[in-house]
Amino acid sequence: MLLAVMSGFILASIVPFSGKLLRGRWSFMTTALPGALFVYFLTLIPSIANNQVRLFSYQWVPSMGINFDFLVDGLSLLFALMITGIGTLVFLFTSAYMKGDAYLGRFYGYLSLFMGAMLGMVLSDNIFTLFVFWELTSISSFFLIGFNNESKASRKSALVALAITGLGGFFLLAAFALLGNITGTYSIREMIGSADILKAHPSYLLVMVCLFIAAFSKSAQYPLHFWLPGAMKAPTPVSTYLHSATMVKAGIYLLARFTPVLGNVPAWNHTLTIVGGFTMLYAAFHSIFKKDLKEILAYSTISALGMLVFLLGLGTSEALLAMVVYIVVHALYKASLFLITGIIDHETGTRDINKLSGLRKVMMPVSIAGLLAMISNSGIPPTFGFVGKDLIYASTLESEILALSLTTIAVVTNMLLLYAGILTGVKPFTGVLPESFKEVHLPDWRMWLPPLVLGIAGLILGLFPVFIEGGIVMPALHSMYPMAPPFHLMLWHGFNLILGLSAVTILGGLLLYFLFKPGLRHQTWMAKLYGSSPEHIALLFSRKFRVFAAVWTRLFQNGYLRIYVLMIISFLTVLLAYKSFTQVAFYINPAKISPLTSTELVVMFILIATVLYAVYTPSRLAAIAAMGVIGYCICLIYVFYSAPDLAMTQFAIDTLTVILFVLVLYRLPKYINYSSWLIRVRDGLISLIFGTLISILALEVLYEPTNKETTRFFTDNAYTLAKGKNVVNVILVDFRGMDTIVEITVLTIAAMGVFALLKLQLNKYDQEL
């Protein structure tokens, strides 16, 4: 299992260096990996169908309880099959759609990285490994959305998506930290046993809110939905893979996975029902006013995700069953529609539905795929979409509260989605073929076969839902609702209210399509509403924040090191002064202070003299030399107090510092007055106050009781555990090795930054900016 998850990362590290191999006839070979993974997960269906749960555990940081624990149950298997199955078709589609692209290897690398991150996320049982993979999906999606990095719109969309999903990642980490602290475990399976403790805990609402923000940001729920339409700037394979079956459903997976842990509480259920219900209606309404095929699909995707959140909020066995089925339904028809949109754009050069018509005459297989996807999207029998829609209506009708209102919202939403489905799956292929499209032809089979396969799959599952019932749907439902009663997925339930609602939905959607044609007046009206939209508010906040950041930078981060030091010292001075005079009882006994020796007096005199000289000298080189003398005086103090190792370290650092300063300042003017006398007086007062506080605290520390436990530990174990006799070195290299690595890393990054600045060559355009 570890190899299955990591294979995506392994492929991602190889394909960027494949060069011309991927840009030629062998580009389809990358399809082998997701295809093999899909077959592997198919082999797990029999054991999962028999109510078995497979756990694969690999140690990572066992001392902290963080391991690669991969859990295969019904829910994780459902998502793993979608990730690899649709991934196979997307990889195949990409081999023709982006054939010859100069950066195809890089694109496959990002796509493979994303696939591995998604698999790791849905299979992780440990919350912190789940978080790591969650963040990797955000990072890889940033690269994929911004793949066309020469486009300003692509770069902006990638940054917005990263900002929103990154914000969600922060709240997810907070939720997981609280969960681990409350339950005492990082295993989701073990948390289920502590569900009652969690729900009664005072921090339950905080955990719930943090988890909701994380899920809503990833699954584009109102008001965090606006990044998704912008992400349509990405190439079609990205839109298909991320926004039909994988990334946008990560939040849905998160909510579904934690339903047994945190669900079945009024606050949980009502919040999901309200947010999901509003989102699905809001987005479906917006979808019918869009003219770009990808924009229509984006808003209909947001609506479908709202539907899934809505069903999770209802929380009943029927609603969760409908949610599982609709996940599959949506993945099949939406991936197909995205791929069809990519084909249309690739062959005609436009996605404007007002310019598209008659394409069935030149792309018949694609038009068949579009028709199949549309009828599944619309819930028309005998597709699997019809089964899913019936289950949605059954769950709303059986709701304990507001059943009529919830059913009405679901019906209206499905009418609007039917309208959007006709726009994207049927309209481009009906009517007369324009003269400008006479040269359009059927693309490579690797492009039209994947959407056709998805459309046929939706039809077959509708006719024979038993194929997916026992092996996938039932185990997935039991993962969220272990006490769910037995059920059977059927295409025909007889003449009843649910069938009547389906008929109303289909007739209402068709009437809406034929009678309502959005015009300029409607576009103007929608533009006025944009002023109060979350996207407009977020962008306005972003602009205001940039203005604030510019002012703040000019004041405090203006490039002058002396300002940075002044801010740090001033803050520490205020903090120390506050703590010292409010929480410290000063007591200094002069009798306990050892008298100064003649050598110490000489060193102190030299130290004070060189400090004053460094402050008042008009020469930089003289000031640097004085600073070196100050350092050597401190070395002597270390020697006097039996710390020769510290003295040698101080000596080496001061010597190197003086040499580097001299080399840097040698070619600069001998003296330039950068500050007025008022600024120098200010700096002197702050320095004097800070130094006085440090001196007082140092004297006060002498009278604090000492605890030698840490000292004894290092002394006793330095040689036995780390095989070193120099205790200080052993502490730095072994006991605090991670701290030392971080310090070295920081210095290395700083050195790389300096090197890059030294090598920077600005062209005329950059200099004007």
Side-chain angles (χ1 to χ4, degrees):
M1 183 58 69
L2 182 63
L3 179 61
V5 173
M6 293 301 166
S7 59
F9 298 96
I10 296 171
L11 182 62
S13 64
I14 296 174
V15 290
F17 306 102
S18 58
K20 295 182 180 179
L21 184 65
L22 282 183
R23 292 197 294 272
R25 66 179 65 179
W26 298 104
S27 58
F28 71 94
M29 291 299 293
T30 53
T31 308
L33 177 62
L37 291 174
F38 180 67
V39 173
Y40 168 69
F41 286 112
L42 283 176
T43 63
L44 299 177
I45 290 179
S47 59
I48 301 303
N50 291 327
N51 295 322
Q52 296 180 20
V53 175
R54 305 282 297 275
L55 180 65
F56 303 84
S57 185
Y58 309 90
Q59 288 191 348
W60 185 21
V61 191
S63 60
M64 299 179 65
I66 301 175
N67 298 305
F68 286 111
D69 295 331
F70 298 119
L71 178 72
V72 182
D73 62 359
L75 188 63
S76 59
L77 182 61
L78 168 65
F79 277 85
L81 287 170
M82 287 196 305
I83 292 164
T84 54
I86 292 182
T88 302
L89 298 177
V90 169
F91 273 68
L92 180 63
F93 180 88
T94 302
S95 65
Y97 183 81
M98 300 188 68
K99 183 179 179 180
D101 191 287
Y103 301 106
L104 183 57
R106 183 190 301 174
F107 183 81
Y108 271 124
Y110 295 154
L111 209 59
S112 303
L113 175 64
F114 177 80
M115 181 182 70
M118 279 299 304
L119 280 176
M121 191 204 75
V122 301
L123 293 169
S124 289
D125 180 59
N126 188 287
I127 56 175
F128 284 110
T129 53
L130 189 155
F131 171 76
V132 170
F133 287 118
W134 175 282
E135 289 298 276
L136 284 174
T137 62
S138 296
I139 294 170
S140 53
S141 66
F142 166 76
F143 291 130
L144 287 167
I145 295 170
F147 180 74
N148 297 322
N149 50 43
E150 294 181 356
S151 166
K152 182 179 179 181
S154 294
R155 296 196 302 270
K156 179 183 177 181
S157 297
L159 286 171
V160 171
L162 182 64
I164 298 299
T165 56
L167 176 69
F170 170 79
F171 283 98
L172 181 64
L173 180 60
F176 282 172
L178 288 169
L179 281 170
N181 183 58
I182 295 169
T183 61
T185 180
Y186 298 147
S187 169
I188 300 174
R189 289 183 305 114
E190 296 175 4
M191 286 181 183
I192 295 175
S194 304
D196 292 336
I197 298 174
L198 267 170
K199 294 170 186 177
H201 197 276
S203 299
Y204 170 80
L205 284 178
L206 181 60
V207 172
M208 185 189 73
V209 170
C210 290
L211 201 72
F212 281 172
I213 294 175
F216 293 166
S217 67
K218 206 79 156 184
S219 290
Q221 296 300 288
Y222 186 93
L224 302 176
H225 67 285
F226 55 87
W227 68 266
L228 184 55
M232 294 300 129
K233 302 294 188 300
T236 293
V238 177
S239 303
T240 305
Y241 200 28
L242 271 66
H243 306 139
S244 66
T246 53
M247 178 178 168
V248 292
K249 288 201 173 79
I252 304 299
Y253 171 81
L254 184 72
L255 295 172
R257 177 58 74 192
F258 281 90
T259 290
V261 181
L262 301 169
N264 200 25
V265 173
W268 173 279
N269 294 98
H270 294 166
T271 303
L272 292 180
T273 303
I274 293 170
V275 172
F278 181 82
T279 300
M280 70 185 195
L281 190 58
Y282 171 89
F285 175 75
H286 277 69
S287 68
I288 68 174
F289 293 97
K290 302 301 177 182
K291 299 301 179 185
D292 185 285
L293 286 173
K294 273 196 171 184
E295 277 196 275
I296 297 170
L297 291 176
Y299 277 97
S300 64
T301 297
I302 296 170
S303 178
L305 294 169
M307 183 81 73
L308 294 171
V309 172
F310 172 78
L311 294 170
L312 279 166
L314 294 180
T316 62
S317 174
E318 293 80 8
L320 294 179
L321 172 61
M323 189 272 294
V324 172
V325 171
Y326 194 67
I327 284 176
V328 180
V329 170
H330 178 256
L332 293 176
Y333 80 72
K334 190 54 62 69
S336 180
L337 289 174
F338 267 119
L339 293 176
I340 291 167
T341 297
I343 293 172
I344 293 172
D345 189 21
H346 187 272
E347 299 301 320
T348 65
T350 182
R351 299 195 301 263
D352 190 336
I353 59 173
N354 292 327
K355 299 178 181 178
L356 295 168
S357 63
L359 292 178
R360 72 185 184 285
K361 297 178 181 179
V362 289
M363 292 190 289
M364 180 57 71
V366 183
S367 68
I368 294 172
L371 178 63
L372 292 173
M374 185 279 294
I375 62 175
S376 185
N377 165 79
S378 306
I380 299 174
T383 61
F384 201 43
F386 177 75
V387 178
K389 179 159 58 60
D390 276 9
L391 290 172
I392 292 171
Y393 292 157
S395 62
T396 56
L397 288 171
E398 294 181 12
S399 175
E400 295 180 357
I401 56 173
L402 301 175
L404 179 61
S405 299
L406 297 179
T407 304
T408 302
I409 292 172
V411 169
V412 172
T413 299
N414 281 319
M415 285 182 182
L416 296 172
L417 289 179
L418 188 149
Y419 187 112
I422 297 175
L423 289 178
T424 53
V426 175
K427 187 179 183 301
F429 302 100
T430 57
V432 179
L433 184 69
E435 286 294 328
S436 57
F437 294 161
K438 292 296 184 182
E439 302 299 322
V440 172
H441 57 83
L442 186 67
D444 189 295
W445 66 271
R446 291 172 293 175
M447 291 177 64
W448 60 259
L449 183 61
L452 190 59
V453 168
L454 291 167
I456 294 173
L459 180 62
I460 292 174
L461 291 179
L463 292 170
F464 307 101
V466 68
F467 289 167
I468 199 175
E469 176 185 297
I472 297 176
V473 175
M474 186 178 294
L477 175 60
H478 287 164
S479 298
M480 298 178 288
Y481 200 105
M483 305 305 293
F487 63 88
H488 294 287
L489 297 178
M490 292 185 293
L491 184 65
W492 177 252
H493 292 271
F495 293 96
N496 53 25
L497 178 58
I498 295 174
L499 181 64
L501 291 173
S502 294
V504 169
T505 300
I506 296 169
L507 291 175
L510 290 173
L511 286 174
L512 184 66
Y513 175 75
F514 287 110
L515 298 179
F516 178 72
K517 303 294 181 184
L520 181 61
R521 180 171 60 88
H522 300 99
Q523 298 297 330
T524 304
W525 182 61
M526 293 298 292
K528 291 179 180 179
L529 292 178
Y530 178 77
S532 59
S533 68
E535 180 181 11
H536 178 75
I537 294 171
L539 292 176
L540 180 63
F541 173 79
S542 176
R543 287 193 293 269
K544 297 298 182 182
F545 189 82
R546 281 199 296 269
V547 172
F548 167 75
V551 174
W552 183 272
T553 301
R554 284 195 296 271
L555 291 176
F556 301 110
Q557 301 287 327
N558 51 18
Y560 291 106
L561 182 61
R562 62 180 181 271
I563 299 298
Y564 301 164
V565 175
L566 176 67
M567 291 298 105
I568 295 171
I569 296 298
S570 299
F571 175 76
L572 289 176
T573 300
V574 173
L575 184 63
L576 286 171
Y578 173 76
K579 286 290 184 181
S580 299
F581 292 105
T582 58
Q583 299 182 14
V584 177
F586 291 103
Y587 174 74
I588 299 175
N589 186 2
K592 292 187 176 181
I593 300 176
S594 58
L596 293 172
T597 64
S598 58
T599 53
E600 291 172 346
L601 285 171
V602 172
V603 171
M604 294 301 296
F605 175 78
I606 297 172
L607 190 65
I608 294 171
T610 48
V611 166
L612 294 174
Y613 183 76
V615 170
Y616 290 103
T617 181
S619 170
R620 283 200 186 89
L621 291 178
I624 295 302
M627 293 295 294
V629 173
I630 294 170
Y632 292 149
C633 289
I634 296 174
C635 291
L636 291 174
I637 294 174
Y638 286 149
V639 172
F640 295 158
Y641 287 90
S642 302
D645 51 347
L646 293 178
M648 290 300 297
T649 303
Q650 182 75 22
F651 177 80
I653 291 174
D654 274 296
T655 301
L656 181 62
T657 302
V658 169
I659 293 172
L660 290 175
F661 269 119
V662 169
L663 290 174
V664 171
L665 300 178
Y666 179 73
R667 296 185 179 276
L668 294 179
K670 291 184 178 180
Y671 187 76
I672 296 179
N673 189 358
Y674 280 109
S675 58
S676 64
W677 68 272
L678 285 174
I679 293 176
R680 290 196 292 274
V681 169
R682 177 202 65 190
D683 295 345
L685 288 173
I686 293 175
S687 302
L688 184 63
I689 295 170
F690 182 72
T692 303
L693 286 171
I694 294 295
S695 300
I696 294 172
L697 289 176
L699 291 172
E700 184 64 26
V701 166
L702 295 175
Y703 299 97
E704 289 293 320
T706 58
N707 187 340
K708 298 289 186 178
E709 182 180 353
T710 304
T711 304
R712 285 193 297 269
F713 171 81
F714 288 127
T715 304
D716 296 340
N717 294 285
Y719 185 74
T720 57
L721 296 180
K723 310 304 179 186
K725 295 182 179 180
N726 188 315
V727 178
V728 175
N729 288 350
V730 168
I731 292 173
L732 292 175
V733 176
D734 288 278
F735 292 112
R736 295 181 64 245
M738 290 301 297
D739 292 346
T740 305
I741 289 177
V742 172
E743 292 168 3
I744 294 172
T745 304
V746 170
L747 291 174
T748 303
I749 294 172
M752 292 170 62
V754 172
F755 180 78
L757 289 173
L758 291 173
K759 293 292 184 180
L760 180 64
Q761 294 182 354
L762 296 176
N763 56 36
K764 182 179 179 182
Y765 175 74
D766 293 328
Q767 291 172 349
E768 289 175 355
L769 289 179

